[in-house]
Amino acid sequence: MGTRTTEVMDAIRLRMADGRLSPGDRLPSIRRFASTMGVSPSTVVEAYDRLAAEGIVRSRPGSGFYVTGALPPRALAEAEPRRDRAIDPFWVSRQSLDSGADMLKPGCGWLPADWMPGAALRRAIRRLAHADDAVLADYGSTRGSLALRRLLARQFAEEGIAAGADQILLTGSGTQAIDLICRFLLRPGDAVLIDDPCYFNFQALLRAHQVRIVGVPYTPNGPDTALFAGALAEHRPRLYITNSALHNPTGATMSPQTAHRLLTAAAAHDVTIVEDDIFAGFEPAPSPRLAVLDGLTQVIRIGSFSKTLSASVRCGYLAARPDWVEALVDLQVATNFGGPSPVAAELVLMTLGDAGYRKHLEGLRRRLARARRETADRLAAIGLHPWLMPRGGFYLWCSLPNGRDAAEAARAALEDRVVLAPGNVFSVNQSAAGYLRFNVAQMNDPRVFEVLSRVTAVQG
C-alpha cells in the first residue's frame, strides 16, 4: 500500500477516534479531501475503498462513504497530537522491524546478524539440547535464573556495585524492565524527564503510561545540568531515564562532573534515575556510571543482551533496592507469570561463559572503530557531519546540509527502500529536524550513500 494512501486512511481513523466523525456521518467528498491532504482523488478513492474493506466505512452509491456503527478503538499513536509518520516512533520501529531483506536499514538500532556471536550461540544451543527437562518445559522462576543473576552480580562487583543476586531481577527485555518500573513508580499525569534527543522507544513506552514527558537538552558531556535542575524544580518529575554510556542517539559519554551534579540534584528532589546500560559492552574502557556512584540507592540499572549477543534471545535485567525488587517481582508475576524463558536465560548464561564470546566482543569493538571512521569520512564527503566522534558503539549523530529537513529525506529514501532515522523521532521537543542517526554497521551497501547523496542534497 502506498504511503500516501496510508496517510489518508490514518487521517480518517484519527477523525473517528477523536469524535470528529461519528457513526452514520458522511466522509468528506473525494475531491475536497484530496485537496485537504494534498493528494490525487484516486489516492482518496483507494483509501476509502480500503477502509470499506475493513468494515470501518461503507459506500452508498451516488451518495458517498459513511462511517459504520463500529468505530475503531483509539490507537496508542493517537494519545497525543498526530506527528508526521516519518518522525513517529511507532512508524520508524515498524519500518525497521517489518521490512524485508531487500530493505537497507542505516537507521535501525541493531547490528547485522553476521556481526553477532553466531558460533558461540550455536555451541550454546547444542549444549542446551542436553539440559534438564525443566529448562526446556517449565515456566521461569519469578526472579529468573539464579546462575545468571549471580554472574551479573559478579560483573557488578568488578565495577564497584555491591549487589547480591537478590537485588537483580531478570526480565523479558530491557524494555520490559522499564515497563515494570513505570508500572511500579508512575501514575497517569506524572512527569518524567528524558534526554533530548534520546532513544525514541523511551518516548513510545512513556506515552503508553500516559505520563507527561519533559525533554532536557543533551550536550557532549551529558544532559545540560542547569536545565536539568530547572526541570526538576518546575515539573517535579518522578523519574529520569537515560543512557550514560554511549548515549543513544548521539554516542556521547557522560562526564564525571555531570554525573555528580545529576545525582546531587536528583537526590535533592527525590527523583529516581533509570540508567539504561545496554551499550556498555561496546566501550573501550568503562565510563562513569550513575549506578556505581549511587550504589543503587536512587538509581535503577537496567540492561539486556540484545545488542551484543542476540536480539532473538529475549532476556533483560534490572538491579535496584531490595525492597523495590520485591515489589517488582510481584508485578512481573502479574504481567508475565514469572521471569524470562528458562531457555533464553540458559542460552545467555552459556554464551556469556563461552571462551569465544569475550574474543568476539574485543574484535567487534575494533571492527566498529574502523566502521565509524570510514562511515564518518564517506558521510562528510556528501555534506553530513557527526555531532561528535563516539568512543565506541555503532551510532553517528549527523547534521544535514543547511536547510535540509531529515523527515523529508527519510520519506524520499523510503521510496528507494532505505530506512533512515530522522532526528525529530528522538526529540520530544522536536528540535532535531536537521539530524539523522546512522548505524555504521548497516552501511556496507554502496546504494545507501547513493540514496543519501540524493535525498540530503540542498535544493538550489
Side-chain angles (χ1 to χ4, degrees):
M1 186 190 307
T3 56
R4 300 297 283 161
T5 303
T6 303
E7 289 173 6
V8 173
M9 295 172 69
D10 287 343
I12 292 297
R13 290 192 184 102
L14 176 58
R15 293 181 181 211
M16 294 178 184
D18 64 18
R20 285 179 288 169
L21 283 173
S22 300
D25 286 351
R26 184 176 183 271
L27 269 59
S29 72
I30 290 170
R31 290 192 179 278
R32 180 158 60 87
F33 206 51
S35 176
T36 299
M37 296 292 296
V39 299
S40 68
S42 62
T43 299
V44 176
V45 169
E46 182 181 0
Y48 284 9
D49 283 341
R50 288 182 179 274
L51 290 171
E54 293 178 11
I56 295 173
V57 305
R58 66 177 181 273
S59 172
R60 294 180 183 173
S63 178
F65 289 82
Y66 291 79
V67 180
T68 64
L71 287 180
R74 186 170 187 180
L76 180 58
E78 314 303 350
E80 61 181 39
R82 188 73 172 180
R83 290 187 180 186
D84 183 330
R85 296 280 1 210
I87 55 173
D88 182 293
F90 299 107
W91 186 84
V92 172
S93 296
R94 290 184 185 191
Q95 295 300 321
S96 297
L97 290 168
D98 293 342
S99 57
D102 64 324
M103 186 78 82
L104 301 179
K105 305 174 185 178
C108 82
W110 55 87
L111 296 175
D114 59 1
W115 287 51
M116 303 300 274
L121 280 167
R122 286 184 172 86
R123 286 191 291 270
I125 290 170
R126 287 194 292 270
R127 291 173 58 195
L128 189 64
H130 303 287
D132 293 342
D133 288 348
V135 171
L136 300 177
D138 280 354
Y139 287 105
S141 60
T142 59
R143 293 173 185 262
S145 161
L146 177 60
L148 181 53
R149 287 187 287 119
R150 284 174 172 166
L151 184 149
L152 290 171
R154 290 194 295 272
Q155 292 180 351
F156 293 170
E158 292 175 3
E159 297 178 62
I161 300 177
D166 61 334
Q167 279 186 256
I168 300 170
L169 175 64
L170 300 186
T171 62
S173 65
T175 299
Q176 192 210 357
I178 299 179
D179 183 57
L180 288 173
I181 294 164
C182 290
R183 291 173 186 270
F184 177 51
L185 293 176
L186 299 178
R187 297 294 179 269
D190 285 346
V192 177
L193 298 190
I194 58 175
D195 302 322
D196 194 346
C198 75
Y199 171 44
F200 55 72
N201 212 46
F202 288 167
Q203 296 180 59
L205 180 57
L206 291 171
R207 285 163 61 187
H209 284 278
Q210 301 177 45
V211 299
R212 292 184 293 118
I213 306 173
V214 180
V216 177
Y218 207 78
T219 78
N221 295 312
D224 184 305
T225 53
L227 294 176
F228 181 83
L232 293 180
E234 179 181 356
H235 298 283
R236 306 192 66 80
R238 295 293 307 277
L239 283 182
Y240 166 54
I241 305 178
T242 189
N243 306 115
S244 58
L246 302 179
H247 178 259
N248 180 9
T250 66
T253 297
M254 191 178 297
S255 70
Q257 296 84 359
T258 297
H260 173 72
R261 290 168 185 155
L262 285 183
L263 288 172
T264 301
H269 289 81
D270 195 28
V271 174
T272 300
I273 298 176
V274 177
E275 182 177 45
D276 185 352
D277 211 34
I278 194 169
F279 297 105
F282 296 110
E283 283 195 300
S287 61
R289 289 295 194 283
L290 298 171
V292 174
L293 297 171
D294 169 77
L296 297 180
T297 301
Q298 201 82 13
V299 176
I300 302 175
R301 168 177 284 188
I302 70 161
S304 81
F305 310 96
S306 61
K307 306 301 184 186
T308 55
L309 193 152
S310 170
S312 179
V313 182
R314 303 298 282 162
C315 184
Y317 61 86
L318 64 83
R321 290 165 32 180
D323 57 327
W324 284 8
V325 171
E326 282 295 325
L328 289 164
V329 167
D330 288 343
L331 275 172
Q332 174 146 267
V333 172
T335 58
N336 198 53
F337 199 69
S341 157
V343 170
E346 194 70 11
L347 274 175
V348 169
L349 179 65
M350 290 178 176
T351 306
L352 293 179
D354 189 289
Y357 180 68
R358 188 179 296 271
K359 293 179 181 177
H360 165 79
L361 274 184
E362 292 171 354
L364 182 59
R365 286 190 287 266
R366 291 192 297 270
R367 186 177 184 182
L368 284 171
R370 290 193 299 272
R372 286 194 304 275
R373 291 192 299 269
E374 293 170 0
T375 302
D377 289 343
R378 296 185 70 179
L379 290 172
I382 57 175
L384 284 78
H385 299 279
W387 186 61
L388 55 75
M389 281 303 293
R391 298 169 57 248
F394 46 85
Y395 293 138
L396 290 177
W397 180 243
C398 295
S399 60
L400 276 67
N402 283 340
R404 197 67 174 105
D405 181 79
E408 292 181 5
R411 281 192 294 269
L414 193 60
E415 298 295 327
D416 287 315
R417 310 290 293 166
V418 175
V419 177
L420 298 179
N424 271 348
V425 77
F426 304 92
S427 173
V428 66
N429 297 324
Q430 299 294 279
S431 59
Y435 287 86
L436 286 167
R437 187 195 71 179
F438 293 107
N439 181 338
V440 301
Q442 297 277 2
M443 301 184 70
N444 294 323
D445 192 314
R447 190 161 65 86
V448 170
F449 294 93
E450 294 170 6
V451 172
L452 280 173
S453 180
R454 182 171 65 258
V455 302
T456 63
V458 178
Q459 302 299 316

